[in-house]
């Protein structure tokens, strides 16, 4: 009993430390965003302003909003941000996102080095400057698997492979919850997938910012790697490699969404991801200095 209690206390202490680190980094990145935004050289929090802060206005038909590509029920989670000033909404959402990522690192066995490698990266900084709704997908990775589908479906490309790690009973229950969610959405919003496809055609994504493996190494190579990784992950019911496998099967991944995958990998391989983070910063900083100077 004493050992168990001590172990639980230590785990809680580690989690609190991770959350504190996440909040500090989130606030620092938010402050940097304020400074960059005041210079009017780089667009900051544009998606939040133009797409995700009008949830109440477009609650009846989310796809009337510019660039809205998520599932329609995501707007319910965005309603609290509607009345807030942009800067405050961005601060709360960045802190919330980074805090959830800290909990995810803790859940999947990572520590402080894992969190620093992930949230100290240029990938995380970019996500803070263009905060999106991937934090809702992270909730899907944290809740019991049976209840994960409504969150994972919001942006399915972010964690498409996660169900590979499910046990049969978990998969069946998650499928039922997901099916009920989709049926309810069809009853509320009609045949919303057609509206979603039309919105995607209307607001085409920029192919230059697509970091999906399909766009980088080509479809055949991406599929071969994805199938091999999926088999490996499925046999071990490994959630980290399951999510990694799913990335190889989607045609588009925005840079801001890459943070979820990078954080999961950091929980498993902190030193390797820290090295990747340093290399990315080494490449990005000279470009940023040149851009600002120009």
């Amino acid at each position: 009993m004493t050992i168990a209690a001590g172990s639980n206390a230590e785990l809680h202490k580690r989690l609190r430390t991770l959350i504190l680190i996440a909040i500090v980094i989130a606030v620092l990145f938010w402050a940097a965003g304020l400074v960059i935004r005041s210079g009017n050289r780089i667009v900051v929090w544009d998606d939040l302003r133009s797409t995700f802060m009008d949830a109440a206005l477009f609650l009846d038909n989310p796809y009337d909003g510019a660039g809205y590509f998520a599932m329609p029920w995501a707007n319910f989670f965005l309603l609290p941000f509607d009345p807030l000033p942009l800067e405050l909404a961005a601060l709360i959402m960045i802190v919330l996102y980074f805090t959830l990522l800290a909990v995810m690192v803790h859940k999947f066995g990572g520590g402080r080095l894992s969190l620093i490698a992930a949230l100290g990266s240029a990938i995380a900084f970019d996500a803070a400057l263009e905060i999106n709704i991937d934090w809702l997908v992270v909730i899907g990775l944290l809740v019991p698997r049976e209840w994960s589908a409504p969150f994972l479906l919001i942006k399915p490309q972010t964690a498409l492979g996660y169900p590979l790690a499910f046990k049969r009973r978990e998969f069946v229950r998650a499928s039922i919850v997901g099916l009920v969610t989709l049926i309810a959405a069809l009853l509320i919003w009609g045949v919303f997938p057609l509206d979603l496809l039309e919105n995607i055609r209307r607001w085409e994504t920029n192919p230059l910012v697509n970091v999906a493996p399909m766009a980088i190494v080509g479809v055949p190579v991406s599929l071969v790697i994805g199938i091999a990784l999926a088999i490996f992950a499925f046999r071990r019911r490994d959630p980290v490699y399951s999510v990694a496998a799913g990335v190889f099967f989607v045609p588009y991944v925005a840079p801001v969404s890459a943070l979820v995958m990078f954080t999961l990998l950091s929980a498993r391989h902190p030193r390797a991801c820290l090295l990747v983070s340093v290399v990315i910063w080494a490449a990005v900083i000279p470009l940023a200095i040149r851009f600002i100077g120009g």
Side-chain angles (χ1 to χ4, degrees):
M1 291 293 291
T2 305
I3 294 176
S7 299
N8 288 333
E10 182 64 26
L11 287 174
H12 291 150
K13 181 179 179 181
R14 290 178 184 175
L15 179 58
R16 288 195 299 269
T17 300
L18 292 178
I19 290 174
L20 179 60
I21 293 172
I23 292 173
V24 170
I25 295 175
V27 173
L28 289 175
F29 282 179
W30 171 80
L34 282 180
V35 174
I36 294 172
R37 188 166 179 264
S38 66
N40 293 321
R41 296 293 300 273
I42 300 176
V43 177
V44 176
W45 306 323
D46 185 58
D47 283 350
L48 180 60
R49 178 190 59 81
S50 62
T51 303
F52 301 124
M53 287 193 67
D54 290 319
L57 181 63
F58 296 111
L59 199 59
D60 291 339
N61 190 353
Y63 304 107
D64 284 343
Y68 188 93
F69 306 136
M71 293 296 105
W73 58 86
N75 266 350
F76 288 125
F77 298 95
L78 298 172
L79 284 173
F81 297 97
D82 264 19
L84 302 177
L86 175 63
E87 295 79 7
L88 180 58
L91 173 62
I92 295 174
M93 200 173 289
I94 295 168
V95 169
L96 175 61
Y97 186 21
F98 282 27
T99 298
L100 289 169
L101 288 173
V103 177
M104 187 177 75
V105 165
H106 180 75
K107 176 180 178 178
F108 291 106
R112 284 178 289 183
L113 183 62
S114 300
L115 190 67
I116 292 170
L119 297 191
S121 68
I123 300 172
F125 185 55
D126 179 62
L129 295 184
E130 198 54 87
I131 187 67
N132 208 284
I133 58 172
D134 295 280
W135 54 274
L136 289 169
V137 179
V138 177
I139 294 176
L141 299 174
L142 295 177
V143 299
R145 292 173 175 178
E146 294 85 344
W147 301 101
S148 62
F151 298 98
L152 299 178
L153 287 171
I154 287 174
K155 289 187 71 173
Q157 69 272 25
T158 302
L160 180 68
Y162 187 52
L164 289 171
F166 290 14
K167 297 176 182 177
R168 181 178 298 178
R169 181 175 296 182
E170 292 172 336
F171 182 79
V172 171
R173 291 178 177 177
S175 298
I176 293 172
V177 172
L179 183 60
V180 169
T181 302
L182 289 173
I183 292 173
L186 290 170
L187 292 174
I188 296 171
W189 290 286
V191 190
F192 70 86
L194 297 179
D195 296 330
L196 171 59
L197 291 174
E198 176 58 30
N199 218 26
I200 291 174
R201 284 192 291 266
R202 187 185 307 143
W203 304 92
E204 293 183 5
T205 55
N206 186 349
L208 296 178
V209 293
N210 185 2
V211 296
M214 281 188 177
I216 298 172
V217 300
V219 174
V221 175
S222 183
L223 290 178
V224 169
I225 296 173
I227 291 170
L229 192 55
I231 294 172
F232 175 83
F234 178 73
R235 286 178 173 175
R236 290 162 176 76
R237 293 296 194 273
D238 189 300
V240 173
Y241 293 124
S242 292
V243 176
V247 174
F248 289 88
F249 294 99
V250 297
Y252 180 81
V253 176
V256 294
S257 297
L259 180 59
V260 176
M261 184 69 262
F262 189 65
T263 303
L264 282 171
L265 289 175
S266 295
R268 187 66 57 81
H269 306 289
R271 290 182 176 83
C273 288
L274 182 61
L275 177 60
V276 171
S277 178
V278 171
V279 170
I280 294 175
W281 273 120
V284 167
I285 290 175
L287 293 175
I289 293 174
R290 189 179 306 170
F291 177 80
I292 295 172

CSV table of all heavy atoms in Angstrom, one decimal, residues 50-84:
chain,number,residue,atom,x,y,z
A,50,SER,N,-10.5,33.7,-38.5
A,50,SER,CA,-11.4,33.6,-39.6
A,50,SER,C,-12.3,32.4,-39.7
A,50,SER,O,-13.3,32.4,-40.3
A,50,SER,CB,-10.6,33.7,-40.9
A,50,SER,OG,-9.7,32.5,-41.0
A,51,THR,N,-11.9,31.3,-38.9
A,51,THR,CA,-12.6,30.1,-39.1
A,51,THR,C,-13.2,29.6,-37.8
A,51,THR,O,-14.4,29.1,-37.7
A,51,THR,CB,-11.7,29.0,-39.6
A,51,THR,OG1,-11.2,29.4,-40.9
A,51,THR,CG2,-12.5,27.7,-39.8
A,52,PHE,N,-12.5,29.7,-36.7
A,52,PHE,CA,-12.9,29.0,-35.4
A,52,PHE,C,-13.5,29.9,-34.4
A,52,PHE,O,-13.7,29.4,-33.3
A,52,PHE,CB,-11.7,28.2,-34.9
A,52,PHE,CG,-11.1,27.2,-35.9
A,52,PHE,CD1,-9.8,27.2,-36.2
A,52,PHE,CD2,-11.9,26.2,-36.4
A,52,PHE,CE1,-9.3,26.3,-37.1
A,52,PHE,CE2,-11.5,25.3,-37.3
A,52,PHE,CZ,-10.1,25.3,-37.6
A,53,MET,N,-13.6,31.2,-34.6
A,53,MET,CA,-14.2,32.1,-33.6
A,53,MET,C,-15.6,32.6,-34.0
A,53,MET,O,-16.0,33.6,-33.5
A,53,MET,CB,-13.2,33.2,-33.3
A,53,MET,CG,-12.0,32.8,-32.5
A,53,MET,SD,-11.1,34.2,-31.8
A,53,MET,CE,-12.2,34.8,-30.6
A,54,ASP,N,-16.2,31.9,-34.9
A,54,ASP,CA,-17.6,32.2,-35.3
A,54,ASP,C,-18.5,31.0,-35.2
A,54,ASP,O,-19.4,30.7,-36.0
A,54,ASP,CB,-17.6,32.7,-36.8
A,54,ASP,CG,-17.0,34.1,-36.9
A,54,ASP,OD1,-17.2,34.9,-36.1
A,54,ASP,OD2,-16.3,34.3,-37.9
A,55,ALA,N,-18.2,30.2,-34.2
A,55,ALA,CA,-18.9,28.9,-34.0
A,55,ALA,C,-20.4,29.1,-33.8
A,55,ALA,O,-21.2,28.4,-34.4
A,55,ALA,CB,-18.3,28.2,-32.8
A,56,ALA,N,-20.8,30.1,-33.0
A,56,ALA,CA,-22.2,30.4,-32.8
A,56,ALA,C,-22.9,30.8,-34.1
A,56,ALA,O,-24.0,30.4,-34.4
A,56,ALA,CB,-22.4,31.4,-31.7
A,57,LEU,N,-22.2,31.6,-34.9
A,57,LEU,CA,-22.8,32.2,-36.1
A,57,LEU,C,-23.0,31.1,-37.1
A,57,LEU,O,-24.0,31.1,-37.9
A,57,LEU,CB,-21.8,33.2,-36.7
A,57,LEU,CG,-22.3,33.9,-38.0
A,57,LEU,CD1,-23.5,34.7,-37.8
A,57,LEU,CD2,-21.2,34.8,-38.6
A,58,PHE,N,-22.2,30.1,-37.2
A,58,PHE,CA,-22.3,29.0,-38.2
A,58,PHE,C,-22.7,27.7,-37.6
A,58,PHE,O,-22.4,26.6,-38.1
A,58,PHE,CB,-20.9,28.8,-38.9
A,58,PHE,CG,-20.6,30.1,-39.7
A,58,PHE,CD1,-19.5,30.8,-39.3
A,58,PHE,CD2,-21.3,30.4,-40.9
A,58,PHE,CE1,-19.1,32.0,-40.1
A,58,PHE,CE2,-20.9,31.5,-41.6
A,58,PHE,CZ,-19.9,32.3,-41.2
A,59,LEU,N,-23.3,27.7,-36.4
A,59,LEU,CA,-23.7,26.5,-35.7
A,59,LEU,C,-24.6,25.6,-36.5
A,59,LEU,O,-24.6,24.4,-36.6
A,59,LEU,CB,-24.2,26.8,-34.3
A,59,LEU,CG,-24.2,25.6,-33.3
A,59,LEU,CD1,-22.8,25.1,-33.1
A,59,LEU,CD2,-24.9,26.1,-32.0
A,60,ASP,N,-25.6,26.3,-37.2
A,60,ASP,CA,-26.6,25.6,-38.0
A,60,ASP,C,-26.0,24.9,-39.3
A,60,ASP,O,-26.3,23.8,-39.7
A,60,ASP,CB,-27.7,26.5,-38.4
A,60,ASP,CG,-28.6,26.9,-37.3
A,60,ASP,OD1,-28.5,26.2,-36.2
A,60,ASP,OD2,-29.2,28.0,-37.3
A,61,ASN,N,-25.0,25.6,-39.9
A,61,ASN,CA,-24.3,25.1,-41.0
A,61,ASN,C,-22.9,25.5,-41.0
A,61,ASN,O,-22.5,26.6,-41.5
A,61,ASN,CB,-25.0,25.6,-42.3
A,61,ASN,CG,-24.4,24.9,-43.6
A,61,ASN,OD1,-23.5,24.1,-43.5
A,61,ASN,ND2,-25.0,25.1,-44.7
A,62,PRO,N,-22.0,24.7,-40.3
A,62,PRO,CA,-20.6,25.1,-40.2
A,62,PRO,C,-19.9,25.4,-41.5
A,62,PRO,O,-18.9,26.1,-41.5
A,62,PRO,CB,-20.0,23.9,-39.4
A,62,PRO,CG,-21.2,23.2,-38.8
A,62,PRO,CD,-22.3,23.5,-39.7
A,63,TYR,N,-20.3,24.7,-42.6
A,63,TYR,CA,-19.6,24.8,-43.8
A,63,TYR,C,-19.9,26.1,-44.6
A,63,TYR,O,-19.4,26.3,-45.7
A,63,TYR,CB,-19.8,23.6,-44.6
A,63,TYR,CG,-19.4,22.3,-43.8
A,63,TYR,CD1,-20.4,21.5,-43.3
A,63,TYR,CD2,-18.1,22.1,-43.5
A,63,TYR,CE1,-20.0,20.4,-42.5
A,63,TYR,CE2,-17.7,21.0,-42.8
A,63,TYR,CZ,-18.7,20.1,-42.3
A,63,TYR,OH,-18.4,19.1,-41.5
A,64,ASP,N,-20.7,27.0,-44.0
A,64,ASP,CA,-20.9,28.3,-44.5
A,64,ASP,C,-19.7,29.2,-44.1
A,64,ASP,O,-19.5,30.2,-44.7
A,64,ASP,CB,-22.2,29.0,-44.0
A,64,ASP,CG,-23.4,28.4,-44.8
A,64,ASP,OD1,-23.2,27.8,-45.8
A,64,ASP,OD2,-24.5,28.6,-44.3
A,65,GLY,N,-18.9,28.7,-43.1
A,65,GLY,CA,-17.7,29.4,-42.7
A,65,GLY,C,-16.6,29.1,-43.6
A,65,GLY,O,-16.4,28.0,-44.1
A,66,ALA,N,-15.7,30.2,-43.8
A,66,ALA,CA,-14.6,30.1,-44.7
A,66,ALA,C,-13.6,29.1,-44.2
A,66,ALA,O,-13.1,29.2,-43.0
A,66,ALA,CB,-13.9,31.4,-44.9
A,67,GLY,N,-13.2,28.1,-45.0
A,67,GLY,CA,-12.1,27.2,-44.7
A,67,GLY,C,-12.4,26.2,-43.5
A,67,GLY,O,-11.5,25.6,-43.0
A,68,TYR,N,-13.7,25.9,-43.2
A,68,TYR,CA,-14.0,25.0,-42.2
A,68,TYR,C,-14.1,23.6,-42.8
A,68,TYR,O,-14.9,23.3,-43.6
A,68,TYR,CB,-15.4,25.3,-41.6
A,68,TYR,CG,-15.7,24.5,-40.3
A,68,TYR,CD1,-15.4,25.0,-39.1
A,68,TYR,CD2,-16.3,23.3,-40.4
A,68,TYR,CE1,-15.7,24.3,-37.9
A,68,TYR,CE2,-16.7,22.6,-39.3
A,68,TYR,CZ,-16.3,23.1,-38.0
A,68,TYR,OH,-16.6,22.3,-36.9
A,69,PHE,N,-13.1,22.7,-42.3
A,69,PHE,CA,-13.0,21.4,-42.9
A,69,PHE,C,-13.2,20.3,-41.8
A,69,PHE,O,-13.0,19.1,-42.1
A,69,PHE,CB,-11.6,21.2,-43.5
A,69,PHE,CG,-11.3,22.2,-44.6
A,69,PHE,CD1,-10.0,22.8,-44.6
A,69,PHE,CD2,-12.2,22.6,-45.5
A,69,PHE,CE1,-9.7,23.7,-45.5
A,69,PHE,CE2,-11.9,23.6,-46.4
A,69,PHE,CZ,-10.6,24.1,-46.5
A,70,ALA,N,-13.6,20.6,-40.6
A,70,ALA,CA,-13.7,19.6,-39.6
A,70,ALA,C,-15.1,19.1,-39.5
A,70,ALA,O,-16.0,19.5,-40.3
A,70,ALA,CB,-13.4,20.3,-38.2
A,71,MET,N,-15.4,18.1,-38.7
A,71,MET,CA,-16.7,17.6,-38.5
A,71,MET,C,-17.6,18.7,-37.8
A,71,MET,O,-17.0,19.5,-37.0
A,71,MET,CB,-16.7,16.4,-37.6
A,71,MET,CG,-16.0,15.2,-38.2
A,71,MET,SD,-16.9,14.5,-39.7
A,71,MET,CE,-15.8,15.1,-41.0
A,72,PRO,N,-18.9,18.7,-38.1
A,72,PRO,CA,-19.7,19.9,-37.6
A,72,PRO,C,-19.8,20.0,-36.1
A,72,PRO,O,-19.9,21.1,-35.6
A,72,PRO,CB,-21.0,19.6,-38.3
A,72,PRO,CG,-21.0,18.2,-38.6
A,72,PRO,CD,-19.6,17.8,-38.9
A,73,TRP,N,-19.7,18.9,-35.4
A,73,TRP,CA,-19.9,19.0,-33.9
A,73,TRP,C,-18.7,19.6,-33.2
A,73,TRP,O,-18.8,20.0,-32.1
A,73,TRP,CB,-20.2,17.6,-33.3
A,73,TRP,CG,-19.2,16.6,-33.6
A,73,TRP,CD1,-18.1,16.3,-32.8
A,73,TRP,CD2,-19.2,15.6,-34.6
A,73,TRP,NE1,-17.4,15.2,-33.4
A,73,TRP,CE2,-18.0,14.8,-34.5
A,73,TRP,CE3,-20.0,15.3,-35.7
A,73,TRP,CZ2,-17.7,13.7,-35.3
A,73,TRP,CZ3,-19.7,14.3,-36.5
A,73,TRP,CH2,-18.6,13.5,-36.4
A,74,ALA,N,-17.6,19.8,-34.0
A,74,ALA,CA,-16.5,20.5,-33.3
A,74,ALA,C,-16.8,21.9,-32.9
A,74,ALA,O,-16.3,22.5,-31.9
A,74,ALA,CB,-15.3,20.6,-34.3
A,75,ASN,N,-17.8,22.5,-33.6
A,75,ASN,CA,-18.2,23.9,-33.2
A,75,ASN,C,-18.8,24.0,-31.8
A,75,ASN,O,-18.7,25.1,-31.2
A,75,ASN,CB,-19.3,24.4,-34.2
A,75,ASN,CG,-18.6,25.2,-35.3
A,75,ASN,OD1,-17.4,25.6,-35.3
A,75,ASN,ND2,-19.4,25.6,-36.3
A,76,PHE,N,-19.3,22.9,-31.3
A,76,PHE,CA,-19.8,22.9,-29.9
A,76,PHE,C,-18.7,23.2,-28.9
A,76,PHE,O,-18.9,23.9,-27.9
A,76,PHE,CB,-20.5,21.6,-29.6
A,76,PHE,CG,-21.9,21.4,-30.2
A,76,PHE,CD1,-22.1,20.3,-31.0
A,76,PHE,CD2,-22.9,22.4,-30.1
A,76,PHE,CE1,-23.3,20.1,-31.6
A,76,PHE,CE2,-24.1,22.2,-30.8
A,76,PHE,CZ,-24.3,21.0,-31.5
A,77,PHE,N,-17.5,22.7,-29.2
A,77,PHE,CA,-16.4,22.9,-28.3
A,77,PHE,C,-15.8,24.3,-28.5
A,77,PHE,O,-15.0,24.7,-27.6
A,77,PHE,CB,-15.3,21.8,-28.6
A,77,PHE,CG,-15.8,20.4,-28.3
A,77,PHE,CD1,-16.3,19.6,-29.3
A,77,PHE,CD2,-15.8,19.9,-27.0
A,77,PHE,CE1,-16.7,18.3,-29.1
A,77,PHE,CE2,-16.2,18.6,-26.8
A,77,PHE,CZ,-16.7,17.8,-27.8
A,78,LEU,N,-16.1,24.9,-29.6
A,78,LEU,CA,-15.5,26.2,-29.9
A,78,LEU,C,-16.4,27.4,-29.4
A,78,LEU,O,-15.9,28.5,-29.4
A,78,LEU,CB,-15.3,26.4,-31.4
A,78,LEU,CG,-14.3,25.4,-32.0
A,78,LEU,CD1,-14.3,25.5,-33.5
A,78,LEU,CD2,-12.9,25.6,-31.4
A,79,LEU,N,-17.6,27.1,-29.0
A,79,LEU,CA,-18.5,28.2,-28.6
A,79,LEU,C,-18.0,29.1,-27.5
A,79,LEU,O,-18.1,30.3,-27.5
A,79,LEU,CB,-19.8,27.6,-28.2
A,79,LEU,CG,-20.8,27.1,-29.3
A,79,LEU,CD1,-22.0,26.3,-28.7
A,79,LEU,CD2,-21.3,28.2,-30.1
A,80,PRO,N,-17.3,28.5,-26.5
A,80,PRO,CA,-16.7,29.4,-25.4
A,80,PRO,C,-15.7,30.4,-25.9
A,80,PRO,O,-15.5,31.4,-25.2
A,80,PRO,CB,-16.1,28.4,-24.4
A,80,PRO,CG,-16.7,27.1,-24.7
A,80,PRO,CD,-17.0,27.1,-26.2
A,81,PHE,N,-15.1,30.2,-27.0
A,81,PHE,CA,-14.1,31.1,-27.5
A,81,PHE,C,-14.7,32.3,-28.3
A,81,PHE,O,-14.0,33.3,-28.5
A,81,PHE,CB,-13.1,30.4,-28.4
A,81,PHE,CG,-12.3,29.3,-27.7
A,81,PHE,CD1,-12.7,28.0,-27.7
A,81,PHE,CD2,-11.2,29.7,-26.9
A,81,PHE,CE1,-12.0,27.0,-27.1
A,81,PHE,CE2,-10.5,28.7,-26.2
A,81,PHE,CZ,-10.9,27.4,-26.3
A,82,ASP,N,-16.0,32.2,-28.7
A,82,ASP,CA,-16.6,33.2,-29.6
A,82,ASP,C,-16.6,34.6,-29.0
A,82,ASP,O,-16.2,35.5,-29.7
A,82,ASP,CB,-18.1,32.8,-29.8
A,82,ASP,CG,-18.2,32.1,-31.2
A,82,ASP,OD1,-17.2,31.6,-31.7
A,82,ASP,OD2,-19.3,32.0,-31.7
A,83,PRO,N,-17.0,34.8,-27.7
A,83,PRO,CA,-17.1,36.2,-27.2
A,83,PRO,C,-15.7,36.8,-26.8
A,83,PRO,O,-15.7,37.9,-26.4
A,83,PRO,CB,-18.0,36.0,-26.0
A,83,PRO,CG,-17.8,34.6,-25.5
A,83,PRO,CD,-17.5,33.8,-26.7
A,84,LEU,N,-14.7,36.0,-26.9
A,84,LEU,CA,-13.4,36.5,-26.4
A,84,LEU,C,-12.6,37.3,-27.4
A,84,LEU,O,-12.7,37.1,-28.6
A,84,LEU,CB,-12.5,35.3,-25.9
A,84,LEU,CG,-13.1,34.4,-24.9
A,84,LEU,CD1,-12.1,33.2,-24.6
A,84,LEU,CD2,-13.4,35.1,-23.6
